[in-house]
Amino acid sequence: LSSIDDYDGGLFIEDISHGNSRSLVPLGLGDVIVYRHDTAQGVHVSTGRWWSLVFWLRGGDVLVAPWLEEEAASGDADAQALLGTQLLEGSFGHQRDQARAHKLLSQAAQFGHRGAQGLLG
Protein backbone atom coordinates (compact mmCIF):
# COMPACT_ATOMS: atom_id res chain seq x y z
CA LEU A 1 0.00 0.00 0.00
CA SER A 2 3.05 2.27 0.21
CA SER A 3 5.28 3.50 -2.56
CA ILE A 4 8.92 2.45 -2.20
CA ASP A 5 9.78 6.18 -2.12
CA ASP A 6 7.83 6.63 1.14
CA TYR A 7 10.14 4.63 3.43
CA ASP A 8 13.54 3.04 4.01
CA GLY A 9 13.50 -0.61 5.03
CA GLY A 10 10.43 -2.81 4.74
CA LEU A 11 9.64 -6.51 4.85
CA PHE A 12 12.50 -8.85 5.63
CA ILE A 13 12.93 -12.62 5.61
CA GLU A 14 15.19 -14.05 8.29
CA ASP A 15 17.23 -17.25 8.22
CA ILE A 16 16.85 -18.22 11.88
CA SER A 17 18.40 -21.65 11.38
CA HIS A 18 21.87 -20.15 11.01
CA GLY A 19 21.74 -16.92 12.99
CA ASN A 20 20.04 -13.67 12.32
CA SER A 21 20.65 -13.04 8.63
CA ARG A 22 17.97 -10.70 7.34
CA SER A 23 17.21 -10.12 3.67
CA LEU A 24 14.97 -7.25 2.61
CA VAL A 25 12.25 -8.18 0.12
CA PRO A 26 11.94 -5.41 -2.47
CA LEU A 27 8.22 -4.63 -2.71
CA GLY A 28 6.68 -1.85 -4.73
CA LEU A 29 3.26 -0.26 -4.70
CA GLY A 30 0.64 -2.96 -5.26
CA ASP A 31 3.04 -5.92 -4.96
CA VAL A 32 1.86 -9.11 -3.26
CA ILE A 33 3.93 -11.71 -1.47
CA VAL A 34 2.83 -15.16 -0.32
CA TYR A 35 4.90 -17.27 2.04
CA ARG A 36 4.58 -20.36 4.21
CA HIS A 37 3.34 -20.03 7.76
CA ASP A 38 6.72 -20.99 9.18
CA THR A 39 8.68 -18.29 7.35
CA ALA A 40 10.56 -16.08 9.78
CA GLN A 41 9.70 -12.58 8.63
CA GLY A 42 9.13 -9.12 9.96
CA VAL A 43 9.11 -5.45 9.13
CA HIS A 44 11.74 -2.85 9.91
CA VAL A 45 11.26 0.70 8.71
CA SER A 46 14.06 3.11 9.62
CA THR A 47 12.52 6.25 8.08
CA GLY A 48 9.17 7.18 6.61
CA ARG A 49 5.93 5.20 6.76
CA TRP A 50 5.18 1.76 5.42
CA TRP A 51 1.59 0.59 5.09
CA SER A 52 0.63 -2.97 4.30
CA LEU A 53 -2.47 -5.11 4.20
CA VAL A 54 -2.11 -8.64 5.60
CA PHE A 55 -4.43 -11.60 5.04
CA TRP A 56 -4.12 -14.81 7.06
CA LEU A 57 -5.51 -17.75 5.12
CA ARG A 58 -6.31 -21.19 6.37
CA GLY A 59 -7.14 -24.05 4.04
CA GLY A 60 -9.71 -26.35 5.60
CA ASP A 61 -10.07 -27.57 9.15
CA VAL A 62 -6.87 -29.65 9.25
CA LEU A 63 -3.88 -27.64 10.38
CA VAL A 64 -1.24 -30.33 9.82
CA ALA A 65 1.04 -29.39 6.92
CA PRO A 66 1.35 -32.53 4.75
CA TRP A 67 4.83 -31.60 3.50
CA LEU A 68 6.28 -31.19 7.00
CA GLU A 69 6.82 -34.91 7.74
CA GLU A 70 8.54 -35.50 4.40
CA GLU A 71 10.84 -32.48 4.71
CA ALA A 72 11.75 -33.35 8.31
CA ALA A 73 12.56 -36.93 7.27
CA SER A 74 14.75 -35.65 4.44
CA GLY A 75 16.89 -33.73 6.93
CA ASP A 76 15.50 -30.19 6.59
CA ALA A 77 16.48 -28.56 9.90
CA ASP A 78 13.69 -25.96 9.72
CA ALA A 79 11.08 -28.69 9.20
CA GLN A 80 12.59 -30.79 11.98
CA ALA A 81 12.49 -27.86 14.40
CA LEU A 82 8.93 -26.90 13.44
CA LEU A 83 7.58 -30.45 13.64
CA GLY A 84 9.49 -31.06 16.86
CA THR A 85 7.96 -27.94 18.39
CA GLN A 86 4.46 -28.96 17.29
CA LEU A 87 4.93 -32.43 18.79
CA LEU A 88 6.34 -30.95 21.98
CA GLU A 89 3.31 -28.65 22.36
CA GLY A 90 0.69 -30.98 20.90
CA SER A 91 -0.27 -28.22 18.48
CA PHE A 92 -1.43 -27.94 14.86
CA GLY A 93 -3.29 -31.25 14.97
CA HIS A 94 -0.45 -33.29 16.46
CA GLN A 95 -0.68 -35.35 19.63
CA ARG A 96 2.04 -34.65 22.20
CA ASP A 97 5.03 -36.91 21.64
CA GLN A 98 7.93 -35.85 23.86
CA ALA A 99 10.33 -38.57 22.66
CA ARG A 100 9.85 -37.85 18.96
CA ALA A 101 9.90 -34.10 19.59
CA HIS A 102 13.23 -34.38 21.39
CA LYS A 103 14.69 -36.51 18.57
CA LEU A 104 13.63 -34.02 15.87
CA LEU A 105 14.79 -31.00 17.87
CA SER A 106 18.15 -32.71 18.53
CA GLN A 107 18.61 -33.40 14.81
CA ALA A 108 17.81 -29.79 13.94
CA ALA A 109 20.13 -28.54 16.69
CA GLN A 110 22.97 -30.65 15.29
CA PHE A 111 22.52 -28.81 11.98
CA GLY A 112 22.94 -25.53 13.87
CA HIS A 113 19.27 -24.54 14.11
CA ARG A 114 19.27 -21.92 16.87
CA GLY A 115 15.56 -22.20 17.68
CA ALA A 116 15.92 -25.94 18.31
CA GLN A 117 19.08 -25.36 20.33
CA GLY A 118 17.21 -22.85 22.47
CA LEU A 119 14.33 -25.25 23.13
CA LEU A 120 16.73 -27.99 24.17
CA GLY A 121 18.60 -25.68 26.51
Side-chain angles (χ1 to χ4, degrees):
L1 296 176
S2 296
S3 170
I4 198 163
D5 299 325
D6 293 343
Y7 62 92
D8 289 316
L11 177 71
F12 64 83
I13 303 296
E14 191 168 29
D15 182 359
I16 60 172
S17 64
H18 297 94
N20 290 334
S21 61
R22 290 182 176 182
S23 301
L24 279 175
V25 179
L27 294 173
L29 186 62
D31 284 349
V32 173
I33 184 170
V34 178
Y35 48 86
R36 292 184 352 185
H37 71 283
D38 60 339
T39 302
Q41 48 76 31
V43 174
H44 176 77
V45 176
S46 56
T47 61
R49 290 187 178 188
W50 187 68
W51 295 93
S52 63
L53 180 62
V54 178
F55 293 95
W56 295 88
L57 305 175
R58 187 175 122 188
D61 293 331
V62 179
L63 296 175
V64 176
W67 49 265
L68 195 54
E69 292 278 351
E70 183 178 316
E71 289 187 19
S74 73
D76 183 299
D78 290 325
Q80 290 169 336
L82 180 59
L83 182 56
T85 302
Q86 291 175 356
L87 289 166
L88 189 67
E89 298 171 344
S91 61
F92 289 93
H94 294 284
Q95 296 295 320
R96 286 183 189 250
D97 186 338
Q98 300 282 352
R100 186 161 179 236
H102 188 267
K103 180 180 177 182
L104 286 164
L105 290 169
S106 295
Q107 290 170 339
Q110 287 176 348
F111 283 113
H113 193 285
R114 298 224 175 145
Q117 292 169 347
L119 284 171
L120 291 171

